[in-house]
């Protein structure tokens, strides 16, 4: 699978620009992934508690599938910040990220089902539980070694999440799983059409 080129994006939202600077510094200062994601979780919690405003163009659901709008993409691809939007009734396949990630809920309710990361392909996945996340809550959604889940909109309004990943998630090849068989398909979760223009 050929990886698309990284297109750097600088956010025009002041709170997110400050947050992006903080994430870049934390990446430089904290080599341990679990400590790093915990620190980013705390910083993102503070951003959401402060009442983050997102422009309408970054919160619009797509009628056919979930979408990810890039808010900030590091020029070297070291991390990205996205607004992920699921309309009512929408969700993702079971998937991994191939990197670390922190997710904070801007609005709505997200339902997350976690699976044990398989060590081999073609073995049915083991479900590890389901959680609901609501506005203001932040979770470490994945580390490189613990990285399989499915998410969906769990309420009667779209769910909007602020996602921070340790790569340009809009260009990173990732695994999608059939939970019943363990079959793997590689995919790239491209940014919303026109979102980088």
């Amino acid at each position: 699978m050929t990886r698309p080129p990284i297109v750097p994006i600088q956010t025009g939202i002041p709170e997110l620009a400050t947050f992006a600077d903080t994430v870049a510094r934390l990446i430089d200062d904290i080599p341990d992934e679990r400590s790093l994601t915990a620190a980013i979780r705390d910083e993102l919690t503070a951003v959401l508690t402060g009442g983050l405003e997102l422009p309408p163009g970054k919160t619009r659901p797509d009628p056919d599938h979930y979408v990810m709008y890039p808010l900030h993409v590091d020029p070297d691809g070291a991390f990205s910040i996205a607004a992920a939007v699921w309309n009512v009734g929408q969700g993702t396949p079971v998937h991994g990220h191939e990197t670390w990630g922190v997710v904070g809920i801007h609005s709505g309710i997200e339902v997350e089902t976690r699976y044990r990361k398989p060590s081999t392909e073609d073995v049915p996945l083991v479900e590890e539980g389901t959680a609901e996340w609501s506005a203001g809550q932040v979770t470490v959604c994945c580390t490189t070694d613990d990285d399989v889940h499915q998410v969906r909109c769990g309420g009667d309004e779209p769910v909007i999440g602020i996602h921070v990943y340790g790569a340009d998630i809009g260009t990173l090849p990732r695994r999608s799983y059939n939970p019943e068989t363990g079959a793997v398909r590689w995919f790239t979760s491209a940014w919303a059409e026109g979102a980088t223009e």
Side-chain angles (χ1 to χ4, degrees):
M1 172 178 277
T2 303
R3 184 169 178 173
I6 293 168
V7 178
I9 294 173
Q10 298 294 318
T11 181
I13 303 167
E15 302 92 333
L16 281 181
T18 300
F19 175 64
D21 289 343
T22 300
V23 171
R25 178 180 52 78
L26 291 171
I27 289 171
D28 287 341
D29 292 347
I30 305 175
D32 175 70
E33 195 172 277
R34 291 185 186 277
S35 299
L36 173 64
T37 52
I40 292 172
R41 179 194 61 213
D42 294 346
E43 294 291 338
L44 183 53
T45 299
V47 170
L48 291 173
T49 301
L52 176 66
E53 297 276 336
L54 293 173
K58 300 294 187 182
T59 62
R60 186 173 32 245
D62 184 289
D64 298 322
H65 52 78
Y66 79 94
V67 288
M68 290 202 309
Y69 297 101
L71 300 172
H72 180 93
V73 178
D74 178 74
D76 296 325
F79 71 99
S80 57
I81 304 170
V85 184
W86 288 266
N87 209 349
V88 175
Q90 291 179 346
T92 69
V94 178
H95 65 280
H97 304 84
E98 313 303 322
T99 187
W100 56 260
V102 178
V103 172
I105 305 304
H106 180 270
S107 59
I109 297 171
E110 179 184 288
V111 178
E112 176 191 31
T113 302
R114 289 183 175 268
Y115 295 83
R116 184 176 307 147
K117 187 170 185 176
S119 56
T120 59
E121 292 185 17
D122 300 321
V123 175
L125 272 61
V126 176
E127 188 175 318
E128 294 193 321
T130 297
E132 284 193 2
W133 305 100
S134 56
Q137 292 186 298
V138 181
T139 180
V140 175
C141 79
C142 52
T143 52
T144 303
D145 62 345
D146 184 12
D147 182 40
V148 180
H149 73 173
Q150 180 180 46
V151 295
R152 61 183 173 82
C153 179
D156 56 5
E157 64 176 281
V159 60
I160 301 167
I162 305 298
H163 292 216
V164 187
Y165 293 108
D168 176 356
I169 201 68
T171 65
L172 183 65
R174 304 192 280 145
R175 290 177 178 93
S176 174
Y177 298 87
N178 180 321
E180 285 80 31
T181 67
V184 171
R185 179 183 64 85
W186 285 88
F187 74 104
T188 301
S189 192
W191 296 120
E193 188 173 336
T196 59
E197 295 174 356

